PDB file of all heavy atoms in Angstrom:
ATOM      1  N   PHE A   1      -0.335  -2.496  -6.889  1.00  0.00           N
ATOM      2  CA  PHE A   1       0.389  -3.595  -6.202  1.00  0.00           C
ATOM      3  C   PHE A   1       0.387  -4.847  -7.068  1.00  0.00           C
ATOM      4  O   PHE A   1       1.463  -5.418  -7.279  1.00  0.00           O
ATOM      5  CB  PHE A   1      -0.329  -3.849  -4.859  1.00  0.00           C
ATOM      6  CG  PHE A   1       0.315  -4.989  -4.105  1.00  0.00           C
ATOM      7  CD1 PHE A   1       1.560  -4.885  -3.496  1.00  0.00           C
ATOM      8  CD2 PHE A   1      -0.416  -6.173  -3.997  1.00  0.00           C
ATOM      9  CE1 PHE A   1       2.140  -5.970  -2.814  1.00  0.00           C
ATOM     10  CE2 PHE A   1       0.159  -7.255  -3.330  1.00  0.00           C
ATOM     11  CZ  PHE A   1       1.390  -7.127  -2.703  1.00  0.00           C
ATOM     12  N   TYR A   2      -0.695  -5.194  -7.681  1.00  0.00           N
ATOM     13  CA  TYR A   2      -0.727  -6.359  -8.474  1.00  0.00           C
ATOM     14  C   TYR A   2       0.033  -6.197  -9.782  1.00  0.00           C
ATOM     15  O   TYR A   2       0.492  -7.182 -10.347  1.00  0.00           O
ATOM     16  CB  TYR A   2      -2.172  -6.814  -8.757  1.00  0.00           C
ATOM     17  CG  TYR A   2      -2.841  -7.416  -7.542  1.00  0.00           C
ATOM     18  CD1 TYR A   2      -4.068  -6.927  -7.059  1.00  0.00           C
ATOM     19  CD2 TYR A   2      -2.250  -8.403  -6.792  1.00  0.00           C
ATOM     20  CE1 TYR A   2      -4.673  -7.437  -5.947  1.00  0.00           C
ATOM     21  CE2 TYR A   2      -2.843  -8.976  -5.689  1.00  0.00           C
ATOM     22  CZ  TYR A   2      -4.041  -8.443  -5.274  1.00  0.00           C
ATOM     23  OH  TYR A   2      -4.639  -9.053  -4.164  1.00  0.00           O
ATOM     24  N   ARG A   3       0.177  -4.932 -10.239  1.00  0.00           N
ATOM     25  CA  ARG A   3       1.045  -4.664 -11.387  1.00  0.00           C
ATOM     26  C   ARG A   3       2.516  -4.611 -11.008  1.00  0.00           C
ATOM     27  O   ARG A   3       3.378  -4.445 -11.862  1.00  0.00           O
ATOM     28  CB  ARG A   3       0.640  -3.293 -11.996  1.00  0.00           C
ATOM     29  CG  ARG A   3      -0.576  -3.258 -12.830  1.00  0.00           C
ATOM     30  CD  ARG A   3      -0.679  -1.932 -13.607  1.00  0.00           C
ATOM     31  NE  ARG A   3      -0.058  -0.845 -13.020  1.00  0.00           N
ATOM     32  CZ  ARG A   3      -0.698   0.212 -12.491  1.00  0.00           C
ATOM     33  NH1 ARG A   3      -2.050   0.307 -12.505  1.00  0.00           N
ATOM     34  NH2 ARG A   3      -0.044   1.216 -11.966  1.00  0.00           N
ATOM     35  N   MET A   4       2.790  -4.714  -9.697  1.00  0.00           N
ATOM     36  CA  MET A   4       4.126  -4.684  -9.096  1.00  0.00           C
ATOM     37  C   MET A   4       4.697  -3.309  -9.226  1.00  0.00           C
ATOM     38  O   MET A   4       5.892  -3.111  -9.326  1.00  0.00           O
ATOM     39  CB  MET A   4       5.003  -5.788  -9.727  1.00  0.00           C
ATOM     40  CG  MET A   4       4.548  -7.175  -9.423  1.00  0.00           C
ATOM     41  SD  MET A   4       5.502  -8.463 -10.169  1.00  0.00           S
ATOM     42  CE  MET A   4       7.068  -8.289  -9.332  1.00  0.00           C
ATOM     43  N   ASP A   5       3.850  -2.270  -9.292  1.00  0.00           N
ATOM     44  CA  ASP A   5       4.280  -0.866  -9.279  1.00  0.00           C
ATOM     45  C   ASP A   5       4.246  -0.439  -7.861  1.00  0.00           C
ATOM     46  O   ASP A   5       3.255   0.202  -7.399  1.00  0.00           O
ATOM     47  CB  ASP A   5       3.403  -0.048 -10.184  1.00  0.00           C
ATOM     48  CG  ASP A   5       3.882   1.439 -10.269  1.00  0.00           C
ATOM     49  OD1 ASP A   5       4.788   1.803  -9.500  1.00  0.00           O
ATOM     50  OD2 ASP A   5       3.302   2.125 -11.072  1.00  0.00           O
ATOM     51  N   TYR A   6       5.200  -0.857  -7.041  1.00  0.00           N
ATOM     52  CA  TYR A   6       5.124  -0.693  -5.556  1.00  0.00           C
ATOM     53  C   TYR A   6       5.205   0.762  -5.121  1.00  0.00           C
ATOM     54  O   TYR A   6       4.572   1.072  -4.126  1.00  0.00           O
ATOM     55  CB  TYR A   6       6.256  -1.541  -4.913  1.00  0.00           C
ATOM     56  CG  TYR A   6       6.080  -3.047  -5.198  1.00  0.00           C
ATOM     57  CD1 TYR A   6       7.165  -3.783  -5.630  1.00  0.00           C
ATOM     58  CD2 TYR A   6       4.897  -3.661  -5.037  1.00  0.00           C
ATOM     59  CE1 TYR A   6       7.005  -5.144  -5.926  1.00  0.00           C
ATOM     60  CE2 TYR A   6       4.705  -4.990  -5.338  1.00  0.00           C
ATOM     61  CZ  TYR A   6       5.801  -5.740  -5.726  1.00  0.00           C
ATOM     62  OH  TYR A   6       5.679  -7.103  -5.983  1.00  0.00           O
ATOM     63  N   ASP A   7       5.926   1.570  -5.854  1.00  0.00           N
ATOM     64  CA  ASP A   7       5.995   2.959  -5.453  1.00  0.00           C
ATOM     65  C   ASP A   7       4.611   3.634  -5.573  1.00  0.00           C
ATOM     66  O   ASP A   7       4.190   4.379  -4.650  1.00  0.00           O
ATOM     67  CB  ASP A   7       7.056   3.755  -6.310  1.00  0.00           C
ATOM     68  CG  ASP A   7       8.442   3.257  -6.054  1.00  0.00           C
ATOM     69  OD1 ASP A   7       8.701   2.800  -4.845  1.00  0.00           O
ATOM     70  OD2 ASP A   7       9.276   3.371  -6.939  1.00  0.00           O
ATOM     71  N   GLU A   8       3.930   3.436  -6.660  1.00  0.00           N
ATOM     72  CA  GLU A   8       2.587   4.020  -6.769  1.00  0.00           C
ATOM     73  C   GLU A   8       1.609   3.347  -5.792  1.00  0.00           C
ATOM     74  O   GLU A   8       0.779   4.099  -5.168  1.00  0.00           O
ATOM     75  CB  GLU A   8       2.056   3.790  -8.222  1.00  0.00           C
ATOM     76  CG  GLU A   8       0.635   4.353  -8.415  1.00  0.00           C
ATOM     77  CD  GLU A   8       0.043   4.138  -9.766  1.00  0.00           C
ATOM     78  OE1 GLU A   8       0.807   3.795 -10.719  1.00  0.00           O
ATOM     79  OE2 GLU A   8      -1.143   4.334  -9.906  1.00  0.00           O
ATOM     80  N   ALA A   9       1.742   2.100  -5.629  1.00  0.00           N
ATOM     81  CA  ALA A   9       0.894   1.457  -4.646  1.00  0.00           C
ATOM     82  C   ALA A   9       1.045   1.970  -3.213  1.00  0.00           C
ATOM     83  O   ALA A   9       0.062   2.189  -2.523  1.00  0.00           O
ATOM     84  CB  ALA A   9       1.131  -0.099  -4.686  1.00  0.00           C
ATOM     85  N   LEU A  10       2.270   2.199  -2.886  1.00  0.00           N
ATOM     86  CA  LEU A  10       2.555   2.726  -1.539  1.00  0.00           C
ATOM     87  C   LEU A  10       2.032   4.103  -1.390  1.00  0.00           C
ATOM     88  O   LEU A  10       1.427   4.449  -0.330  1.00  0.00           O
ATOM     89  CB  LEU A  10       4.049   2.683  -1.295  1.00  0.00           C
ATOM     90  CG  LEU A  10       4.533   3.030   0.139  1.00  0.00           C
ATOM     91  CD1 LEU A  10       3.864   2.151   1.206  1.00  0.00           C
ATOM     92  CD2 LEU A  10       6.017   2.983   0.191  1.00  0.00           C
ATOM     93  N   GLN A  11       2.175   4.922  -2.381  1.00  0.00           N
ATOM     94  CA  GLN A  11       1.638   6.269  -2.341  1.00  0.00           C
ATOM     95  C   GLN A  11       0.089   6.258  -2.161  1.00  0.00           C
ATOM     96  O   GLN A  11      -0.443   7.008  -1.328  1.00  0.00           O
ATOM     97  CB  GLN A  11       2.067   7.054  -3.616  1.00  0.00           C
ATOM     98  CG  GLN A  11       1.642   8.532  -3.593  1.00  0.00           C
ATOM     99  CD  GLN A  11       0.316   8.702  -4.325  1.00  0.00           C
ATOM    100  OE1 GLN A  11      -0.085   7.964  -5.264  1.00  0.00           O
ATOM    101  NE2 GLN A  11      -0.381   9.768  -3.958  1.00  0.00           N
ATOM    102  N   LYS A  12      -0.560   5.426  -2.934  1.00  0.00           N
ATOM    103  CA  LYS A  12      -2.024   5.337  -2.847  1.00  0.00           C
ATOM    104  C   LYS A  12      -2.478   4.802  -1.494  1.00  0.00           C
ATOM    105  O   LYS A  12      -3.448   5.277  -0.913  1.00  0.00           O
ATOM    106  CB  LYS A  12      -2.599   4.466  -3.950  1.00  0.00           C
ATOM    107  CG  LYS A  12      -2.235   4.901  -5.325  1.00  0.00           C
ATOM    108  CD  LYS A  12      -3.058   5.997  -5.813  1.00  0.00           C
ATOM    109  CE  LYS A  12      -2.768   6.301  -7.304  1.00  0.00           C
ATOM    110  NZ  LYS A  12      -3.152   7.562  -7.728  1.00  0.00           N
ATOM    111  N   ALA A  13      -1.740   3.749  -0.996  1.00  0.00           N
ATOM    112  CA  ALA A  13      -2.150   3.184   0.272  1.00  0.00           C
ATOM    113  C   ALA A  13      -1.991   4.202   1.416  1.00  0.00           C
ATOM    114  O   ALA A  13      -2.834   4.294   2.272  1.00  0.00           O
ATOM    115  CB  ALA A  13      -1.306   1.942   0.572  1.00  0.00           C
ATOM    116  N   ARG A  14      -0.911   4.925   1.371  1.00  0.00           N
ATOM    117  CA  ARG A  14      -0.673   5.923   2.420  1.00  0.00           C
ATOM    118  C   ARG A  14      -1.676   7.049   2.396  1.00  0.00           C
ATOM    119  O   ARG A  14      -2.200   7.526   3.408  1.00  0.00           O
ATOM    120  CB  ARG A  14       0.758   6.481   2.346  1.00  0.00           C
ATOM    121  CG  ARG A  14       1.748   5.507   2.828  1.00  0.00           C
ATOM    122  CD  ARG A  14       3.133   6.042   2.734  1.00  0.00           C
ATOM    123  NE  ARG A  14       4.065   5.190   3.466  1.00  0.00           N
ATOM    124  CZ  ARG A  14       5.378   5.299   3.377  1.00  0.00           C
ATOM    125  NH1 ARG A  14       5.931   6.224   2.575  1.00  0.00           N
ATOM    126  NH2 ARG A  14       6.199   4.494   4.054  1.00  0.00           N
ATOM    127  N   GLU A  15      -2.054   7.464   1.196  1.00  0.00           N
ATOM    128  CA  GLU A  15      -3.039   8.553   1.057  1.00  0.00           C
ATOM    129  C   GLU A  15      -4.398   8.012   1.532  1.00  0.00           C
ATOM    130  O   GLU A  15      -5.150   8.772   2.203  1.00  0.00           O
ATOM    131  CB  GLU A  15      -3.094   9.068  -0.391  1.00  0.00           C
ATOM    132  CG  GLU A  15      -4.050  10.209  -0.592  1.00  0.00           C
ATOM    133  CD  GLU A  15      -3.728  11.420   0.237  1.00  0.00           C
ATOM    134  OE1 GLU A  15      -2.549  11.696   0.512  1.00  0.00           O
ATOM    135  OE2 GLU A  15      -4.667  12.182   0.537  1.00  0.00           O
ATOM    136  N   ALA A  16      -4.726   6.765   1.195  1.00  0.00           N
ATOM    137  CA  ALA A  16      -5.998   6.228   1.650  1.00  0.00           C
ATOM    138  C   ALA A  16      -6.003   6.115   3.178  1.00  0.00           C
ATOM    139  O   ALA A  16      -7.038   6.438   3.800  1.00  0.00           O
ATOM    140  CB  ALA A  16      -6.167   4.832   1.035  1.00  0.00           C
ATOM    141  N   SER A  17      -4.880   5.813   3.791  1.00  0.00           N
ATOM    142  CA  SER A  17      -4.787   5.728   5.256  1.00  0.00           C
ATOM    143  C   SER A  17      -4.956   7.074   5.859  1.00  0.00           C
ATOM    144  O   SER A  17      -5.523   7.207   6.942  1.00  0.00           O
ATOM    145  CB  SER A  17      -3.465   5.142   5.672  1.00  0.00           C
ATOM    146  OG  SER A  17      -3.384   3.754   5.405  1.00  0.00           O
ATOM    147  N   ARG A  18      -4.469   8.105   5.223  1.00  0.00           N
ATOM    148  CA  ARG A  18      -4.548   9.488   5.748  1.00  0.00           C
ATOM    149  C   ARG A  18      -6.031   9.930   5.666  1.00  0.00           C
ATOM    150  O   ARG A  18      -6.539  10.577   6.572  1.00  0.00           O
ATOM    151  CB  ARG A  18      -3.714  10.477   5.007  1.00  0.00           C
ATOM    152  CG  ARG A  18      -2.271  10.477   5.466  1.00  0.00           C
ATOM    153  CD  ARG A  18      -1.481  11.647   4.913  1.00  0.00           C
ATOM    154  NE  ARG A  18      -1.134  11.526   3.481  1.00  0.00           N
ATOM    155  CZ  ARG A  18      -0.155  10.816   2.989  1.00  0.00           C
ATOM    156  NH1 ARG A  18       0.665  10.176   3.831  1.00  0.00           N
ATOM    157  NH2 ARG A  18       0.074  10.737   1.680  1.00  0.00           N
ATOM    158  N   GLN A  19      -6.713   9.610   4.594  1.00  0.00           N
ATOM    159  CA  GLN A  19      -8.067  10.024   4.455  1.00  0.00           C
ATOM    160  C   GLN A  19      -9.019   9.216   5.263  1.00  0.00           C
ATOM    161  O   GLN A  19     -10.079   9.680   5.697  1.00  0.00           O
ATOM    162  CB  GLN A  19      -8.482   9.987   2.986  1.00  0.00           C
ATOM    163  CG  GLN A  19      -7.751  11.006   2.106  1.00  0.00           C
ATOM    164  CD  GLN A  19      -8.350  11.065   0.737  1.00  0.00           C
ATOM    165  OE1 GLN A  19      -9.405  10.562   0.446  1.00  0.00           O
ATOM    166  NE2 GLN A  19      -7.618  11.700  -0.167  1.00  0.00           N
ATOM    167  N   LEU A  20      -8.740   7.908   5.434  1.00  0.00           N
ATOM    168  CA  LEU A  20      -9.579   6.990   6.202  1.00  0.00           C
ATOM    169  C   LEU A  20      -8.756   6.286   7.268  1.00  0.00           C
ATOM    170  O   LEU A  20      -8.446   5.117   7.080  1.00  0.00           O
ATOM    171  CB  LEU A  20     -10.276   6.000   5.259  1.00  0.00           C
ATOM    172  CG  LEU A  20     -11.034   6.525   4.041  1.00  0.00           C
ATOM    173  CD1 LEU A  20     -11.387   5.466   3.100  1.00  0.00           C
ATOM    174  CD2 LEU A  20     -12.277   7.263   4.576  1.00  0.00           C
ATOM    175  N   PRO A  21      -8.411   6.936   8.352  1.00  0.00           N
ATOM    176  CA  PRO A  21      -7.529   6.268   9.356  1.00  0.00           C
ATOM    177  C   PRO A  21      -8.100   4.983   9.983  1.00  0.00           C
ATOM    178  O   PRO A  21      -7.317   4.185  10.441  1.00  0.00           O
ATOM    179  CB  PRO A  21      -7.343   7.340  10.401  1.00  0.00           C
ATOM    180  CG  PRO A  21      -8.269   8.493  10.119  1.00  0.00           C
ATOM    181  CD  PRO A  21      -8.819   8.235   8.721  1.00  0.00           C
ATOM    182  N   TRP A  22      -9.409   4.783   9.856  1.00  0.00           N
ATOM    183  CA  TRP A  22      -9.987   3.596  10.429  1.00  0.00           C
ATOM    184  C   TRP A  22      -9.993   2.476   9.460  1.00  0.00           C
ATOM    185  O   TRP A  22     -10.363   1.322   9.786  1.00  0.00           O
ATOM    186  CB  TRP A  22     -11.440   3.923  10.860  1.00  0.00           C
ATOM    187  CG  TRP A  22     -12.207   4.618   9.757  1.00  0.00           C
ATOM    188  CD1 TRP A  22     -12.364   5.967   9.613  1.00  0.00           C
ATOM    189  CD2 TRP A  22     -12.914   4.049   8.652  1.00  0.00           C
ATOM    190  NE1 TRP A  22     -13.095   6.254   8.497  1.00  0.00           N
ATOM    191  CE2 TRP A  22     -13.433   5.049   7.848  1.00  0.00           C
ATOM    192  CE3 TRP A  22     -13.072   2.673   8.244  1.00  0.00           C
ATOM    193  CZ2 TRP A  22     -14.157   4.807   6.719  1.00  0.00           C
ATOM    194  CZ3 TRP A  22     -13.821   2.472   7.059  1.00  0.00           C
ATOM    195  CH2 TRP A  22     -14.322   3.530   6.324  1.00  0.00           C
ATOM    196  N   TYR A  23      -9.590   2.703   8.230  1.00  0.00           N
ATOM    197  CA  TYR A  23      -9.693   1.696   7.134  1.00  0.00           C
ATOM    198  C   TYR A  23      -8.466   0.794   7.153  1.00  0.00           C
ATOM    199  O   TYR A  23      -7.417   1.110   6.544  1.00  0.00           O
ATOM    200  CB  TYR A  23      -9.799   2.439   5.792  1.00  0.00           C
ATOM    201  CG  TYR A  23     -10.319   1.548   4.621  1.00  0.00           C
ATOM    202  CD1 TYR A  23     -11.543   1.027   4.711  1.00  0.00           C
ATOM    203  CD2 TYR A  23      -9.574   1.369   3.549  1.00  0.00           C
ATOM    204  CE1 TYR A  23     -12.055   0.226   3.634  1.00  0.00           C
ATOM    205  CE2 TYR A  23      -9.993   0.624   2.476  1.00  0.00           C
ATOM    206  CZ  TYR A  23     -11.236   0.037   2.538  1.00  0.00           C
ATOM    207  OH  TYR A  23     -11.651  -0.741   1.484  1.00  0.00           O
ATOM    208  N   ALA A  24      -8.570  -0.303   7.873  1.00  0.00           N
ATOM    209  CA  ALA A  24      -7.397  -1.179   8.169  1.00  0.00           C
ATOM    210  C   ALA A  24      -6.826  -1.774   6.847  1.00  0.00           C
ATOM    211  O   ALA A  24      -5.593  -2.101   6.812  1.00  0.00           O
ATOM    212  CB  ALA A  24      -7.824  -2.288   9.083  1.00  0.00           C
ATOM    213  N   GLU A  25      -7.643  -1.942   5.861  1.00  0.00           N
ATOM    214  CA  GLU A  25      -7.160  -2.578   4.634  1.00  0.00           C
ATOM    215  C   GLU A  25      -6.036  -1.774   4.007  1.00  0.00           C
ATOM    216  O   GLU A  25      -5.147  -2.363   3.357  1.00  0.00           O
ATOM    217  CB  GLU A  25      -8.311  -2.777   3.617  1.00  0.00           C
ATOM    218  CG  GLU A  25      -9.270  -3.874   3.983  1.00  0.00           C
ATOM    219  CD  GLU A  25     -10.339  -3.378   4.975  1.00  0.00           C
ATOM    220  OE1 GLU A  25     -10.288  -2.247   5.443  1.00  0.00           O
ATOM    221  OE2 GLU A  25     -11.258  -4.190   5.216  1.00  0.00           O
ATOM    222  N   ALA A  26      -6.093  -0.463   4.092  1.00  0.00           N
ATOM    223  CA  ALA A  26      -5.071   0.374   3.514  1.00  0.00           C
ATOM    224  C   ALA A  26      -3.720   0.196   4.211  1.00  0.00           C
ATOM    225  O   ALA A  26      -2.681   0.137   3.583  1.00  0.00           O
ATOM    226  CB  ALA A  26      -5.490   1.831   3.561  1.00  0.00           C
ATOM    227  N   LYS A  27      -3.744   0.058   5.576  1.00  0.00           N
ATOM    228  CA  LYS A  27      -2.496  -0.232   6.299  1.00  0.00           C
ATOM    229  C   LYS A  27      -2.001  -1.638   5.987  1.00  0.00           C
ATOM    230  O   LYS A  27      -0.800  -1.867   5.896  1.00  0.00           O
ATOM    231  CB  LYS A  27      -2.710  -0.092   7.787  1.00  0.00           C
ATOM    232  CG  LYS A  27      -2.875   1.354   8.236  1.00  0.00           C
ATOM    233  CD  LYS A  27      -1.759   2.197   7.852  1.00  0.00           C
ATOM    234  CE  LYS A  27      -0.627   2.180   8.839  1.00  0.00           C
ATOM    235  NZ  LYS A  27       0.468   3.117   8.446  1.00  0.00           N
ATOM    236  N   LYS A  28      -2.896  -2.589   5.782  1.00  0.00           N
ATOM    237  CA  LYS A  28      -2.482  -3.953   5.406  1.00  0.00           C
ATOM    238  C   LYS A  28      -1.824  -3.949   4.032  1.00  0.00           C
ATOM    239  O   LYS A  28      -0.815  -4.578   3.832  1.00  0.00           O
ATOM    240  CB  LYS A  28      -3.634  -4.921   5.400  1.00  0.00           C
ATOM    241  CG  LYS A  28      -3.198  -6.305   5.021  1.00  0.00           C
ATOM    242  CD  LYS A  28      -4.360  -7.256   4.789  1.00  0.00           C
ATOM    243  CE  LYS A  28      -3.951  -8.635   4.407  1.00  0.00           C
ATOM    244  NZ  LYS A  28      -3.075  -8.706   3.237  1.00  0.00           N
ATOM    245  N   LEU A  29      -2.387  -3.151   3.136  1.00  0.00           N
ATOM    246  CA  LEU A  29      -1.796  -3.032   1.829  1.00  0.00           C
ATOM    247  C   LEU A  29      -0.341  -2.429   1.916  1.00  0.00           C
ATOM    248  O   LEU A  29       0.565  -2.947   1.298  1.00  0.00           O
ATOM    249  CB  LEU A  29      -2.657  -2.172   0.844  1.00  0.00           C
ATOM    250  CG  LEU A  29      -2.049  -1.936  -0.520  1.00  0.00           C
ATOM    251  CD1 LEU A  29      -1.719  -3.218  -1.267  1.00  0.00           C
ATOM    252  CD2 LEU A  29      -3.018  -1.061  -1.313  1.00  0.00           C
ATOM    253  N   GLU A  30      -0.217  -1.447   2.742  1.00  0.00           N
ATOM    254  CA  GLU A  30       1.085  -0.867   2.929  1.00  0.00           C
ATOM    255  C   GLU A  30       2.090  -1.920   3.439  1.00  0.00           C
ATOM    256  O   GLU A  30       3.228  -2.026   2.969  1.00  0.00           O
ATOM    257  CB  GLU A  30       1.039   0.301   3.975  1.00  0.00           C
ATOM    258  CG  GLU A  30       2.283   1.060   4.162  1.00  0.00           C
ATOM    259  CD  GLU A  30       2.109   2.248   5.083  1.00  0.00           C
ATOM    260  OE1 GLU A  30       1.040   2.739   5.198  1.00  0.00           O
ATOM    261  OE2 GLU A  30       3.133   2.677   5.649  1.00  0.00           O
ATOM    262  N   GLY A  31       1.679  -2.741   4.391  1.00  0.00           N
ATOM    263  CA  GLY A  31       2.528  -3.801   4.898  1.00  0.00           C
ATOM    264  C   GLY A  31       2.866  -4.841   3.825  1.00  0.00           C
ATOM    265  O   GLY A  31       4.019  -5.288   3.719  1.00  0.00           O
ATOM    266  N   ASP A  32       1.877  -5.208   3.031  1.00  0.00           N
ATOM    267  CA  ASP A  32       2.095  -6.156   1.969  1.00  0.00           C
ATOM    268  C   ASP A  32       3.098  -5.575   0.916  1.00  0.00           C
ATOM    269  O   ASP A  32       3.923  -6.365   0.413  1.00  0.00           O
ATOM    270  CB  ASP A  32       0.786  -6.474   1.217  1.00  0.00           C
ATOM    271  CG  ASP A  32      -0.157  -7.326   2.032  1.00  0.00           C
ATOM    272  OD1 ASP A  32       0.284  -7.976   3.043  1.00  0.00           O
ATOM    273  OD2 ASP A  32      -1.370  -7.320   1.798  1.00  0.00           O
ATOM    274  N   ILE A  33       3.041  -4.340   0.669  1.00  0.00           N
ATOM    275  CA  ILE A  33       4.008  -3.675  -0.242  1.00  0.00           C
ATOM    276  C   ILE A  33       5.397  -3.808   0.292  1.00  0.00           C
ATOM    277  O   ILE A  33       6.322  -4.164  -0.440  1.00  0.00           O
ATOM    278  CB  ILE A  33       3.610  -2.232  -0.513  1.00  0.00           C
ATOM    279  CG1 ILE A  33       2.263  -2.165  -1.284  1.00  0.00           C
ATOM    280  CG2 ILE A  33       4.707  -1.521  -1.287  1.00  0.00           C
ATOM    281  CD1 ILE A  33       1.600  -0.782  -1.212  1.00  0.00           C
ATOM    282  N   PHE A  34       5.577  -3.475   1.569  1.00  0.00           N
ATOM    283  CA  PHE A  34       6.890  -3.601   2.170  1.00  0.00           C
ATOM    284  C   PHE A  34       7.412  -5.073   2.178  1.00  0.00           C
ATOM    285  O   PHE A  34       8.606  -5.285   1.986  1.00  0.00           O
ATOM    286  CB  PHE A  34       6.884  -3.056   3.624  1.00  0.00           C
ATOM    287  CG  PHE A  34       6.811  -1.552   3.668  1.00  0.00           C
ATOM    288  CD1 PHE A  34       5.895  -0.923   4.523  1.00  0.00           C
ATOM    289  CD2 PHE A  34       7.690  -0.762   2.954  1.00  0.00           C
ATOM    290  CE1 PHE A  34       5.872   0.415   4.591  1.00  0.00           C
ATOM    291  CE2 PHE A  34       7.584   0.654   2.998  1.00  0.00           C
ATOM    292  CZ  PHE A  34       6.687   1.240   3.781  1.00  0.00           C
ATOM    293  N   LEU A  35       6.503  -5.989   2.376  1.00  0.00           N
ATOM    294  CA  LEU A  35       6.920  -7.410   2.285  1.00  0.00           C
ATOM    295  C   LEU A  35       7.406  -7.741   0.934  1.00  0.00           C
ATOM    296  O   LEU A  35       8.419  -8.410   0.759  1.00  0.00           O
ATOM    297  CB  LEU A  35       5.780  -8.320   2.712  1.00  0.00           C
ATOM    298  CG  LEU A  35       5.453  -8.445   4.195  1.00  0.00           C
ATOM    299  CD1 LEU A  35       4.230  -9.377   4.364  1.00  0.00           C
ATOM    300  CD2 LEU A  35       6.600  -9.021   4.944  1.00  0.00           C
ATOM    301  N   ALA A  36       6.682  -7.364  -0.074  1.00  0.00           N
ATOM    302  CA  ALA A  36       7.005  -7.681  -1.490  1.00  0.00           C
ATOM    303  C   ALA A  36       8.346  -7.058  -1.827  1.00  0.00           C
ATOM    304  O   ALA A  36       9.180  -7.683  -2.495  1.00  0.00           O
ATOM    305  CB  ALA A  36       5.871  -7.230  -2.428  1.00  0.00           C
ATOM    306  N   LYS A  37       8.501  -5.726  -1.486  1.00  0.00           N
ATOM    307  CA  LYS A  37       9.772  -5.056  -1.787  1.00  0.00           C
ATOM    308  C   LYS A  37      10.926  -5.708  -1.026  1.00  0.00           C
ATOM    309  O   LYS A  37      12.049  -5.833  -1.553  1.00  0.00           O
ATOM    310  CB  LYS A  37       9.659  -3.604  -1.470  1.00  0.00           C
ATOM    311  CG  LYS A  37       8.728  -2.851  -2.387  1.00  0.00           C
ATOM    312  CD  LYS A  37       8.614  -1.368  -2.018  1.00  0.00           C
ATOM    313  CE  LYS A  37       9.856  -0.599  -2.405  1.00  0.00           C
ATOM    314  NZ  LYS A  37       9.667   0.842  -2.378  1.00  0.00           N
ATOM    315  N   GLY A  38      10.672  -6.088   0.224  1.00  0.00           N
ATOM    316  CA  GLY A  38      11.687  -6.766   1.004  1.00  0.00           C
ATOM    317  C   GLY A  38      12.141  -8.082   0.397  1.00  0.00           C
ATOM    318  O   GLY A  38      13.305  -8.438   0.344  1.00  0.00           O
ATOM    319  N   PHE A  39      11.164  -8.826  -0.108  1.00  0.00           N
ATOM    320  CA  PHE A  39      11.434 -10.104  -0.728  1.00  0.00           C
ATOM    321  C   PHE A  39      12.296  -9.959  -1.982  1.00  0.00           C
ATOM    322  O   PHE A  39      13.196 -10.698  -2.217  1.00  0.00           O
ATOM    323  CB  PHE A  39      10.141 -10.928  -1.071  1.00  0.00           C
ATOM    324  CG  PHE A  39      10.399 -12.250  -1.530  1.00  0.00           C
ATOM    325  CD1 PHE A  39      10.985 -13.244  -0.637  1.00  0.00           C
ATOM    326  CD2 PHE A  39      10.069 -12.652  -2.796  1.00  0.00           C
ATOM    327  CE1 PHE A  39      11.238 -14.515  -1.147  1.00  0.00           C
ATOM    328  CE2 PHE A  39      10.315 -13.941  -3.306  1.00  0.00           C
ATOM    329  CZ  PHE A  39      10.924 -14.842  -2.433  1.00  0.00           C
ATOM    330  N   GLN A  40      12.001  -8.868  -2.722  1.00  0.00           N
ATOM    331  CA  GLN A  40      12.866  -8.587  -3.916  1.00  0.00           C
ATOM    332  C   GLN A  40      14.282  -8.326  -3.491  1.00  0.00           C
ATOM    333  O   GLN A  40      15.260  -8.839  -4.126  1.00  0.00           O
ATOM    334  CB  GLN A  40      12.320  -7.352  -4.651  1.00  0.00           C
ATOM    335  CG  GLN A  40      11.113  -7.602  -5.465  1.00  0.00           C
ATOM    336  CD  GLN A  40      10.613  -6.348  -6.166  1.00  0.00           C
ATOM    337  OE1 GLN A  40      10.859  -5.240  -5.743  1.00  0.00           O
ATOM    338  NE2 GLN A  40       9.952  -6.523  -7.292  1.00  0.00           N
TER     339      GLN A  40
END
């Protein structure tokens, strides 16, 4: 995400959410990625 490689970041965030459904930070990262892509 910080490298602005949003596709890879989204894939990692979604996989982290699947493996750890209680881990809210992964869902927040997914939202942040969509915000950044939307702003572009």
